[in-house]
Amino acid sequence: MEYLTILGSTGSIGVSTLDVVARHPQRFRVAALTARSQVDLLYRQCCRFEPKYAVLLDDCAAEGLQARLRAAGVHTRVLSGTSALEDVAALSEAGIVVAAIVGIAGLRATLAAARAGKKILLANKESLVTAGALFMSAVQASGARLLPIDSEHNAIFQSMPASGAGSLADRGVRRILLTASGGPFRTLPAARLAAVTPEEAVAHPNWVMGRKISVDSATMMNKGLEVIEAHWLFAAPPDVIEVVIHPQSVVHSLVEYCDGSVIAQLGNPDMRTPIAHALGYPQRIVSGADFLDLARVGNLSFEAPDLARFPCLRLAYDALRTGESSVVGLNAANEVAVAEFLDRRIAYTDIPGVIERVLERMPARPVDSIDDVERIDRDARALAQDACAGDVAVRSARAG
Ligand code: NAD
Ligand code: MG
């Protein structure tokens, strides 16, 4: 029996993971589940999977959940606070940790799993983006196994040469091709982008995901973060990683070799496929995803991304080339700008401008610790809040 902790079990990835786990009761058991504030869903998940621990951020909410579970005869122990997240990530009885918290909020717990030598199923790309070098060295030092469940990186992992030794060039890899759907605004006239609503931005054409990553997909910041994620996961220089728009989201990414071969992984857009791949690895296990009917899909099309329409993609490449503090700043400014857009305080088209102004005001410097990452993150958030307030002021002056 393999025991797992799911950090962020009430989110889109968390729920998909539990769906796969429920299909394999002889193989997987849940050791711990965590959520920020979705108490009712966490309660139902605890009743169904009876984990040893559950974690909520808030003390009162945790006490309430504990009382409800006790009344229902469920023996889960409910903990609270961010340090409890780190504790359940390093739990001795859980060999597998699914990192599915959204944003840099997932960093400390994901790192705790890396330090504890777990098999980590990584969805929380922001932790690798913001602390790539520290994270990868923690993985190496502890002997943790890092398996990507972001669909593109899982596809790349599946398309890489079997031998892991040597550089990408030594192994004959010429390019990594990250596919991107182009999101809901790929063909919208550019003049209409300023007026798009949060509802339109989160309505992704192919994937059902959390709100933050859905907006990131619309701006293509998601792909920018994924370029940085691929850089760390596969030790790939920025120039080796290329983005190609593929609106059908059937080819999940590709690896090109020096002999001209291109190896890709295909499937229906359903996160249960990469999750099942990583859960069972190296074995293949049933995921519940529908099987791909190529005749029904009909056409697969590809195009180069338009960097004028998607400035966030360029900003991410620039930050990766500038250095680690810029990447932390990029991520923080993006988290703030997306939250402000979802709260209808700034326009969709303000998002890249906010990020750009934050990065202009942050001198690039090396990052040497997690405390340092969190310091840069805090500074960048403050700058981003100022930049958003400036955009709000400009807009109301225009309106008034
Ligand atoms: P989501 O918003 O649906 O869920 C986020 C989860 O994290 C929830 O369980 C929530 O309770 C928890 N959480 C949020 N803020 C928290 C905080 N401050 N502290 C502790 N817990 C907190 O997000 P999602 O779409 O499932 O995405 C999760 C991660 O996976 C993100 O990093 C995203 O980029 C990545 N990812 C998601 C998908 C997808 O299809 N949804 C695909 C690839 C990668
Ligand atoms: Mg992805």
Side-chain angles (χ1 to χ4, degrees), residues 7-14 34-38 57 82 85 99-103 105 123-126 149-152 207-213 222 226 271:
L7 303 167
S9 65
T10 55
S12 165
I13 293 288
T34 86
R36 180 178 50 184
S37 53
Q38 296 95 322
L57 286 193
T82 49
L85 288 176
I101 290 175
V102 59
N124 177 228
K125 63 191 81 177
E126 295 91 343
I149 53 176
D150 205 347
S151 57
E152 296 77 1
W207 300 93
V208 181
M209 309 181 284
R211 282 159 66 80
K212 190 258 178 183
I213 186 179
N222 182 49
E226 289 184 355
M271 288 307 292

Side-chain angles (χ1 to χ4, degrees), residues 123-135:
N124 177 228
K125 63 191 81 177
E126 295 91 343
S127 59
L128 196 52
V129 163
T130 55
L134 295 162
F135 192 85

Side-chain angles (χ1 to χ4, degrees), residues 243-330:
V243 173
V244 60
I245 302 247
H246 165 48
Q248 296 82 13
S249 299
V250 166
V251 179
H252 297 306
S253 278
L254 318 89
V255 175
E256 182 184 63
Y257 288 84
C258 58
D259 61 2
S261 301
V262 178
I263 308 286
Q265 185 259 359
L266 285 71
N268 279 319
D270 186 326
M271 288 307 292
R272 291 175 299 177
T273 297
I275 290 168
H277 171 266
L279 269 176
Y281 185 80
Q283 246 185 333
R284 295 277 176 176
I285 62 171
V286 167
S287 71
D290 284 343
F291 293 101
L292 185 61
D293 181 343
L294 278 173
R296 227 172 105 196
V297 173
N299 292 302
L300 298 176
S301 60
F302 301 90
E303 62 195 62
D306 172 358
L307 292 185
R309 176 179 284 267
F310 297 112
C312 287
L313 184 57
R314 176 182 52 77
L315 289 171
Y317 267 108
D318 288 351
L320 178 57
R321 291 190 174 105
T322 307
E324 283 181 76
S325 66
S326 300
V327 172
V328 178
L330 172 97

Side-chain angles (χ1 to χ4, degrees), residues 166 237 304 356:
E356 195 149 28

